[in-house]
Amino acid sequence: MIRPPRLRPGSRVAVVAPAGPVPREAFAVGAAILGGRYTLVHDERIFARSGFLAGDDDARANELVGALADASVEAIFCARGGYGLMRILDRLDAAAFARAPKLIVGFSDVTALHAWALAAGVTSLHAPVVTQLGRVPADDAAALFAACESPSPPPPLTGLRIVDAGAGRPVEARVVGGNLEVLSRLCGTPWAVPLDGAILFLEDVGERPYRIDRQLTQLRLAGALDRLAGVVLGDFIGCVEKDGSGPDAAAVLAERLGGRGIPVVAGAPIGHGERNRALPHGARARLDAAAGTLAWLESAVA
């Protein structure tokens, strides 16, 4: 994997809106935090709205392509998730990105952009979007800045709960994943995330349990889960049936992902909840289910 150059305080970073519409108030709070560390580059276009998108495909793609090509920009932070990145992936030049990589930061719908970067052989950072930065604890913001700036592996995730102990021994592998809905939709595309031998991390929001079952079953039927090394589950916020009936999300995740002879743990502070710790996407780590830890062996940046 290619690791993009690290940032430093004052680094020039682009803020883009390649997915859903960006609420001004939440953006202003997050931008103040991010702008206290780096020099932000963006314009009024990020507040455009075209239905459920932050402007039409041409505008969003041109903004992202321009940021990727701008030699003065050292990283790209996504303003918000939502939906829309899959619509413009085929407009991005992966070969050019691999030649001049820069750090990509975001989560949720940005899972699609992380998958695109992974296909180009470049690590990225699964971390808060700008509109979430004002809602996560200060230590998560500090962890984001450290992950952007340090070539040393981040501190381990601790306190993980065993869902399935698997073979009962730690595993070392590349860590990939993100939003379950987006990952399942990437199946059959050039940007389907390769999961053979990987530690898969997942999170989601607002998906009813039967939909989570369908997404995981899609991945199973595609053979994507056949040779996983392990699974780390983050938050699944609001993933309940409207009437409270049936199995909950945790039960579905355990049934669909357990029983495969691999460690499955839950409780990672990632996703749409109160915490969202930065994770180096595409970096290697050691998952020890018995100890409840995911210890990083690599960072996202060089």
Side-chain angles (χ1 to χ4, degrees):
M1 295 292 293
I2 301 166
R3 291 189 297 162
R6 77 193 82 167
L7 302 185
R8 292 171 174 79
S11 285
R12 182 178 167 90
V13 304
V15 178
V16 298
V22 178
R24 286 181 180 270
E25 185 174 341
F27 176 82
V29 175
I33 296 169
L34 192 63
R37 189 74 174 185
Y38 307 122
T39 302
L40 307 189
V41 180
H42 66 85
D43 58 31
E44 278 292 302
R45 200 227 65 79
I46 66 171
F47 300 113
R49 185 180 191 115
S50 179
F52 46 75
L53 301 169
D56 62 32
D57 288 352
D58 286 343
R60 298 189 338 277
N62 289 341
E63 178 184 68
L64 181 53
V65 168
L68 288 167
D70 187 342
S72 73
V73 166
E74 298 177 61
I76 294 173
F77 286 78
C78 293
R80 189 198 161 207
Y83 168 69
L85 263 159
M86 287 181 66
R87 293 172 59 112
I88 61 174
L89 286 184
D90 58 355
R91 305 185 185 208
L92 307 180
D93 188 338
F97 179 62
R99 290 193 298 270
K102 56 189 66 176
L103 189 63
I104 290 171
V105 182
F107 85 114
S108 191
D109 193 60
V110 185
T111 295
L113 193 56
H114 290 309
W116 173 81
L118 186 72
V122 179
T123 55
S124 54
L125 203 58
H126 184 278
V129 291
V130 177
T131 53
Q132 193 195 31
L133 262 180
R135 295 187 282 111
V136 298
D139 59 342
D140 279 0
L144 166 62
F145 298 148
C148 289
E149 297 171 18
S150 175
S152 299
L157 298 184
T158 60
L160 305 178
R161 306 185 304 273
I162 294 177
V163 175
D164 189 324
R169 58 179 179 271
V171 296
E172 292 185 6
R174 198 167 304 285
V175 180
V176 298
N179 181 266
L180 173 57
E181 162 67 10
V182 176
L183 284 171
S184 70
R185 298 296 182 175
L186 289 170
C187 274
T189 76
W191 305 283
V193 176
L195 299 180
D196 285 4
I199 296 171
L200 171 65
F201 72 92
L202 296 170
E203 64 83 27
D204 220 318
V205 61
E207 294 289 344
R208 294 163 66 182
Y210 84 90
R211 290 178 58 88
I212 292 173
D213 187 295
R214 182 164 60 197
Q215 292 153 10
L216 291 171
T217 300
Q218 160 72 18
L219 292 170
R220 286 181 64 144
L221 292 175
L225 308 181
D226 289 351
R227 288 169 289 278
L228 279 176
V231 179
V232 177
L233 300 174
D235 286 330
F236 283 75
I237 300 297
C239 294
V240 296
E241 292 294 348
K242 294 178 181 178
D243 61 2
S245 65
D248 61 14
V252 171
L253 290 160
E255 189 273 330
R256 292 280 78 189
L257 294 168
R260 310 178 72 84
I262 61 172
V264 180
V265 298
I270 55 175
H272 290 76
E274 296 179 356
R275 304 292 307 274
N276 197 9
R277 186 56 57 98
L279 302 186
H281 188 260
R284 293 182 63 82
R286 186 175 191 263
L287 173 60
D288 187 334
T293 59
L294 181 69
W296 295 101
L297 306 175
E298 298 173 334
S299 68
V301 295

